[in-house]
Amino acid sequence: MTPKRESQSQRKKHVAVCGGGLVGALNACYMAKRGFKVDLYEMRPDIRTLEVVKGRSINLALSCRGREALRRVGLEDTITKNGIPMHARMIHDLNGKRRPLLYGNEDQYIMSIDRRLLNEVMLTEVEKFPDVNIHFSHKLVSCDFNSGEAIFENEKGECLTKQFDLIIGCDGAYSSVRKQLMKLSRFDYQQEYIPHGYMELNIPPNKKNESAMEINYLHIWPRNDYMMIALPNLDKSFTTTLFMPFEIFESITSEEKLIQFFKDEFPDALPLLGEAELKQSFFSCKALPLVSIKCHPYHVNDKAVIMGDAAHAMVPFYGQGMNCGMEDCIVFDELLDKYNNNFAKVLPAYTKIRNPDAKAICDLAMYNYTEMRSKVNSRLFLVRKKLDNMLFKLFPNTWVPLYTMVSFTRIRYHECVQRREWQDKILTRSLILSAVCILLGFTALIYNANKFGDHWNLETPQSLLTGSFDKFQKWISRW
């Protein structure tokens, strides 16, 4: 008797998640939670078994979108209890003065999270699902987007072939899955390296084993063409990152030049970093590049899709790289609900919905680097920020500052940009209207001063207003 074949609708869908980093591990949780059979492939060894993990270790700033993604798989509380709230930026001026800039309302904050801890927690969570297999030290060699067949190479150099209903590429900015997509026609790809690199340093606890600076802040040393930031850790240290043009990194060729550079540009940070430790850190590694990637589409037929940095790597200056990647998981999960797990409908819908948002946040991340290293020193920036916050308090449902929309809501990224453009138009028109009213007022004053000058015993009525008018013109020109 011929055995009865299991129908496509009855059979469990088999999904390959390529990349066991933050987005990949989280996505595996989402897929397993839906009852899919999941194979998670990670090129590196299991990081939980390693003393040192190679690769990026810039601290992460967890905000609303990432927290919501973690909440939906029951991990938000586990992660946030191991994080440190940051309520504001702490600006370190060249003269040593410090001034806080709140991110939003006093109860709004982002969280400093250790990258390795977050990744380890999610990998451990993935293992709890019965139909999940994790394959460490497995590198994707190739995949067939018609049959769903994928070939992986293990640490022994052996090639293993498997067939899947869906291949999800969460394998980072240099994604192997995306490279396979790029071989197809009509795949748009844009890659941009900015002229600035980054280098990680460290501010240890002080001699009393206390934090060397205020802990509930993201510390920033803005110096126009470059900057340094520091995020707090639970061990009372600060992960410190220096962002500069590569030419400046390369021009510092001796310990004397390094120390003099920090004395000139970051004088209050030098004692915290320690001269000996700074020398060792700076000359033991090279500055690393920062890349921004945009592409389209994010899927192929009903067989493959890319998420996270594989789809939209961005520079880290809005703190949204991880949060955006985690939100990808939410969007995809909601579409699976909407279309009853029909990949043929889910995948094109995902590209259509997510692509404009990902491109928008990539652009915002570029913009925010200019803000962090330069504009926070501008009086006009500070005035605009105070004005935004005041209008937000007066009209909380109408006027929401850009940073608040991006970090403390799940308003779609491209809508955040559109709302900001609308706000800019309103402010510009209001400013022009105010300027016209003031000019009319000046004109009326001058006219009346000339007309009644003799009656008031004013010898030169116009001269009384000329100086003020000149100052007003200069103020207008700044805007």
Side-chain angles (χ1 to χ4, degrees):
M1 184 175 179
T2 305
K4 187 177 180 181
R5 294 185 62 184
E6 189 178 32
S7 71
Q8 184 72 17
S9 60
Q10 291 173 327
R11 181 177 62 84
K12 277 190 175 183
K13 292 184 181 292
H14 192 183
V15 176
V17 178
C18 299
L22 302 176
V23 177
L26 182 62
N27 223 327
C29 289
Y30 272 84
M31 296 300 104
K33 195 176 179 184
R34 301 192 74 84
F36 296 166
K37 182 180 179 182
V38 179
D39 279 272
L40 175 62
Y41 293 91
E42 168 55 43
M43 185 173 64
R44 300 170 298 173
D46 188 346
I47 62 171
R48 294 168 295 181
T49 66
L50 303 176
E51 287 188 19
V52 178
V53 178
K54 293 182 179 180
R56 289 188 305 169
S57 58
I58 297 175
N59 272 41
L60 302 167
L62 181 66
S63 55
C64 172
R65 299 169 198 266
R67 292 186 67 161
E68 175 63 16
L70 292 170
R71 186 189 66 78
R72 295 193 185 197
V73 291
L75 290 176
E76 182 185 15
D77 291 341
T78 303
I79 297 304
T80 54
K81 73 180 182 183
N82 289 296
I84 299 176
M86 298 183 293
H87 295 271
R89 298 168 176 169
M90 181 63 78
I91 308 301
H92 293 245
D93 293 329
L94 191 58
N95 60 11
K97 290 184 178 180
R98 301 180 186 182
R99 48 190 173 91
L101 288 177
L102 283 173
Y103 283 121
N105 295 331
E106 292 182 0
D107 61 337
Q108 292 177 323
Y109 58 85
I110 58 178
M111 297 200 76
S112 177
I113 301 290
D114 180 81
R115 178 187 295 272
R116 177 172 179 170
L117 172 67
L118 177 55
N119 203 171
E120 290 181 350
V121 167
M122 288 195 289
L123 286 173
T124 301
E125 184 67 19
V126 169
E127 289 179 329
K128 295 178 182 178
F129 292 94
D131 267 345
V132 173
N133 292 302
I134 305 180
H135 310 271
F136 294 105
S137 301
H138 277 65
K139 179 182 179 181
L140 178 71
V141 177
S142 66
C143 47
D144 186 327
F145 297 126
N146 292 315
S147 66
E149 185 178 89
I151 302 174
F152 297 89
E153 182 182 317
N154 64 21
E155 70 274 18
K156 298 177 182 178
E158 301 169 337
C159 286
L160 310 170
T161 303
K162 262 192 176 181
Q163 196 162 354
F164 303 95
D165 296 301
L166 178 65
I167 299 168
I168 304 178
C170 303
D171 46 347
Y174 304 101
S175 166
S176 295
V177 178
R178 190 187 64 237
K179 287 178 182 177
Q180 299 294 312
L181 266 67
M182 290 172 68
K183 296 176 183 178
L184 306 175
S185 62
R186 298 173 64 191
F187 183 84
D188 293 327
Y189 177 74
Q190 178 184 338
Q191 172 182 292
E192 179 184 0
Y193 282 97
I194 66 172
H196 299 69
Y198 75 93
M199 180 179 289
E200 283 205 349
L201 307 171
N202 181 62
I203 294 177
N206 60 25
K207 293 180 180 179
K208 297 180 180 179
N209 198 33
E210 298 172 342
S211 297
M213 300 183 293
E214 302 90 338
I215 64 168
N216 294 119
Y217 297 90
L218 191 158
H219 293 262
I220 304 178
W221 290 259
R223 298 297 183 262
N224 296 323
D225 290 331
Y226 41 88
M227 71 172 181
M228 190 165 68
I229 66 171
L231 278 73
N233 298 312
L234 290 175
D235 66 359
K236 300 178 182 177
S237 68
F238 286 82
T239 299
T240 308
T241 311
L242 177 62
F243 299 94
M244 290 197 306
F246 279 101
E247 309 92 78
I248 300 180
F249 275 116
E250 293 162 1
S251 69
I252 301 175
T253 55
S254 67
E255 293 182 351
E256 291 75 17
K257 286 183 178 180
L258 175 65
I259 298 304
Q260 189 58 53
F261 175 77
F262 270 78
K263 285 181 178 179
D264 292 340
E265 302 297 337
F266 309 107
D268 65 323
L270 183 56
L272 305 178
L273 291 162
E275 290 192 14
E277 292 78 6
L278 174 60
K279 293 174 185 177
Q280 195 280 328
S281 297
F282 192 91
F283 291 108
S284 64
C285 58
K286 292 184 178 180
L288 299 175
L290 294 163
V291 66
S292 178
I293 290 173
K294 300 176 186 176
C295 62
H296 182 275
Y298 291 156
H299 75 285
V300 181
N301 304 323
D302 63 344
K303 291 296 182 186
V305 65
I306 53 176
M307 300 185 194
D309 284 354
H312 46 69
M314 64 193 73
V315 293
F317 306 115
Y318 224 115
Q320 286 297 303
M322 172 193 66
N323 292 286
C324 179
M326 288 182 168
E327 191 179 46
D328 289 348
C329 301
I330 298 177
V331 174
F332 195 72
D333 191 58
E334 290 174 343
L335 289 171
L336 286 169
D337 280 339
K338 181 177 180 180
Y339 294 110
N340 195 28
N341 297 332
N342 185 339
F343 295 153
K345 293 182 178 180
V346 171
L347 270 59
Y350 177 76
T351 290
K352 183 177 181 180
I353 290 172
R354 200 59 178 157
N355 190 254
D357 291 326
K359 288 180 177 177
I361 190 57
C362 283
D363 291 338
L364 281 175
M366 284 287 196
Y367 160 81
N368 211 48
Y369 184 36
T370 304
E371 177 176 305
M372 290 178 72
R373 63 185 165 89
S374 177
K375 288 189 176 182
V376 291
N377 292 324
S378 164
R379 289 183 180 178
L380 289 179
F381 170 81
L382 299 176
V383 169
R384 171 60 189 268
K385 192 167 183 65
K386 289 180 179 178
L387 182 59
D388 273 337
N389 290 336
M390 181 188 72
L391 291 171
F392 183 37
K393 289 180 179 179
L394 293 173
F395 311 105
N397 297 321
T398 305
W399 194 283
V400 184
L402 177 62
Y403 191 91
T404 299
M405 286 189 284
V406 171
S407 297
F408 303 125
T409 78
R410 285 200 56 223
I411 296 171
R412 293 182 62 182
Y413 288 121
H414 83 277
E415 290 182 11
C416 295
V417 174
Q418 290 173 351
R419 293 189 187 191
R420 173 66 173 208
E421 290 173 350
W422 172 80
Q423 291 172 358
D424 288 342
K425 287 180 182 178
I426 294 296
L427 286 179
T428 300
R429 290 171 182 173
S430 299
L431 181 65
I432 292 172
L433 181 61
S434 299
V436 169
C437 292
I438 293 172
L439 285 172
L440 289 174
F442 268 111
T443 302
L445 282 171
I446 292 171
Y447 173 79
N448 286 309
N450 280 320
K451 186 175 182 180
F452 299 107
D454 292 336
H455 176 73
W456 294 339
N457 295 319
L458 297 175
E459 295 182 3
T460 54
Q462 274 184 287
S463 65
L464 297 175
L465 299 170
T466 301
S468 298
F469 186 71
D470 289 342
K471 290 180 181 178
F472 173 74
Q473 281 185 312
K474 290 178 181 178
W475 180 78
I476 288 294
S477 66
R478 288 182 186 176
W479 286 89

